[in-house]
Amino acid sequence: MSLDLLRTFLAVHRAGSITGGAQVLGLSQPTVTAQLKTLERNLGRPLFDRLPRGVRPTSAGNELARRIADPVDTLQALLSTELDDPTPATLHLGGPSDFLCHQVLPALATRIATGLQVRTTFGLPDDLLDRLQDRSLDLVISSTRPRRAGLRATPCYDETFTLVAAPHWAPAAPVTTPDQLRAIPLIAYAEEAPILRRYWRTVFNTRLSRTPDLVVPDLRGALATTLAGAGLTVLPTYLCHPHLTNGTLIPLATPEVPPLNTLYLTTRTDGGPTTTAVQEHLLAVLQS
C-alpha cells in the first residue's frame, strides 16, 4: 500500500471529482484515475461511484476516508514542515469578494510568501457552504451563521455599516428620515439591496420603498461609483474608512448604534492541519 495512493484517494474524496483532486495534487487526470484504480484493485472494492459530473464515495470510500484522513494529514504536515516536501499545501477559500480581497488575502500574505497556495471562490453564503460540505472548499467566510451538521463556525469579524456619498450630496440638515435622501440616486449591492434594506430598517425604522438606480454585484463597484459622485450607498466601514478620513466621502447619517453584521470563519469539523493553521492565523489577525 502506497502513501501516494492514499493521498490521491483523499484528495479526490475531498474535491468530489477526479479533476479537482488532480488539480490539488498537481497531477494529470489520467494519473489520478490510474492510481484510484490501483487502490481499488488492492482493496478489492470500489471506493467511488462515477457520476456524469464528479464522483460520489461509496460506503467503503467514506469509511476509508474517515480512517486515514487524520494520519495522512499529519504525515503530510510533517513532510512539508520537517522534511521540506516539495508538494505545497493548497487552501481552497470562499467568501464575499470585497472582504476576501480587502481583509483576508492581505492577512495571508506572509503565509503565501512562505509556501501556502490559495485558490479563492467568491459567492453567496448558501452556495459557498454547499461547496464546503462537498469538500470543494476548505474554509468559508460566511455573512450568516451556518447551522449545518459537520461544519464549525467561529465569529471572526464584526462589520459596521455607514451611509455615504460624495461631498456634493451633503444635505442641508442632519439626516433623520429617508425622505431627506430622495433626491440622491441609490446605489445597491445585489438586486434585492440587502444592505440598504437592513440599514433603512435598523436606522430609519422603516422599509426601503425605493428601487435602486444602480445595482452592482460587488461592494467595490458600489464604492467606486459612489466616489465618482453617482449617488449614495451603504458600505462596511473597513471599505470606506480611508475615504471618510480624507474627505472624498461623507457620512450622510450618524446613528448612535450603526448596523452591525458578524462574519463567521467556517470549516468542516474534519478539516486538516493546513486549514486549522490558516484558521488560527486569520482569527488572530481579524480579531486583533
Side-chain angles (χ1 to χ4, degrees):
M1 186 65 65
S2 163
L3 174 60
D4 286 338
L5 298 184
L6 296 179
R7 288 175 59 192
T8 297
F9 160 76
L10 201 55
V12 173
H13 189 277
R14 288 171 169 170
S17 70
I18 291 174
T19 300
Q23 290 174 344
V24 169
L25 296 168
L27 299 175
S28 69
Q29 186 172 331
T31 297
V32 170
T33 299
Q35 289 185 351
L36 288 179
K37 288 181 178 179
T38 299
L39 182 60
E40 290 176 325
R41 184 170 60 252
N42 290 347
L43 294 175
R45 54 186 178 270
L47 299 173
F48 295 103
D49 293 324
R50 273 61 173 177
L51 305 175
R53 296 184 62 181
V55 294
R56 179 176 58 214
T58 62
S59 57
N62 281 328
E63 175 63 15
L64 179 62
R66 184 189 67 78
R67 294 177 63 186
I68 71 168
D70 286 345
V72 170
D73 286 338
T74 299
L75 184 55
Q76 176 62 34
L78 175 65
L79 290 172
S80 297
T81 58
E82 299 295 333
L83 303 181
D84 195 28
D85 183 76
T87 303
T90 301
L91 180 84
H92 294 265
L93 173 66
S97 59
D98 50 278
F99 190 75
L100 286 189
C101 291
H102 197 276
Q103 298 288 91
V104 175
L105 296 181
L108 292 178
T110 55
R111 295 297 181 98
I112 295 169
T114 54
L116 176 69
Q117 291 194 355
V118 178
R119 300 293 181 268
T120 56
T121 300
F122 302 149
L124 298 175
D126 284 346
D127 293 336
L128 295 174
L129 293 173
D130 286 343
R131 298 189 62 176
L132 181 61
Q133 285 190 301
D134 71 16
R135 300 181 178 273
S136 300
L137 295 175
D138 301 309
L139 189 152
V140 165
I141 305 291
S142 175
S143 56
T144 59
R145 187 182 187 93
R147 301 186 184 278
R148 302 190 186 196
L151 299 185
R152 180 187 296 115
T154 306
C156 66
Y157 192 88
D158 287 332
E159 293 181 303
T160 56
F161 293 91
T162 306
L163 181 67
V164 296
H168 70 268
W169 291 113
V175 174
T176 57
T177 71
D179 288 340
Q180 295 171 263
L181 304 172
R182 286 199 168 274
I184 309 177
L186 209 56
I187 301 168
Y189 162 73
E191 194 65 47
E192 298 78 11
I195 299 176
L196 287 171
R197 291 185 185 281
R198 181 174 183 181
Y199 193 95
W200 254 239
R201 184 175 64 251
T202 304
V203 175
F204 298 130
N205 195 30
T206 188
R207 183 176 62 87
L208 177 67
S209 57
R210 296 174 55 186
T211 300
D213 298 276
L214 171 65
V215 175
V216 293
D218 187 304
L219 288 176
R220 292 169 297 175
L223 171 63
T225 50
T226 304
L227 281 168
L232 67 82
T233 194
V234 175
L235 294 172
T237 305
Y238 72 78
L239 196 60
C240 60
H241 176 73
H243 306 287
L244 292 170
T245 300
N246 65 25
T248 51
L249 288 180
I250 59 168
L252 297 178
T254 54
E256 290 185 11
V257 181
L260 179 146
N261 184 56
T262 300
L263 298 177
Y264 296 89
L265 201 159
T266 309
T267 60
R268 291 186 302 277
T269 53
D270 63 350
T274 297
T275 301
T276 299
V278 171
Q279 178 188 26
E280 292 174 352
H281 176 77
L282 286 177
L283 287 174
V285 174
L286 296 176
Q287 294 179 347
S288 62

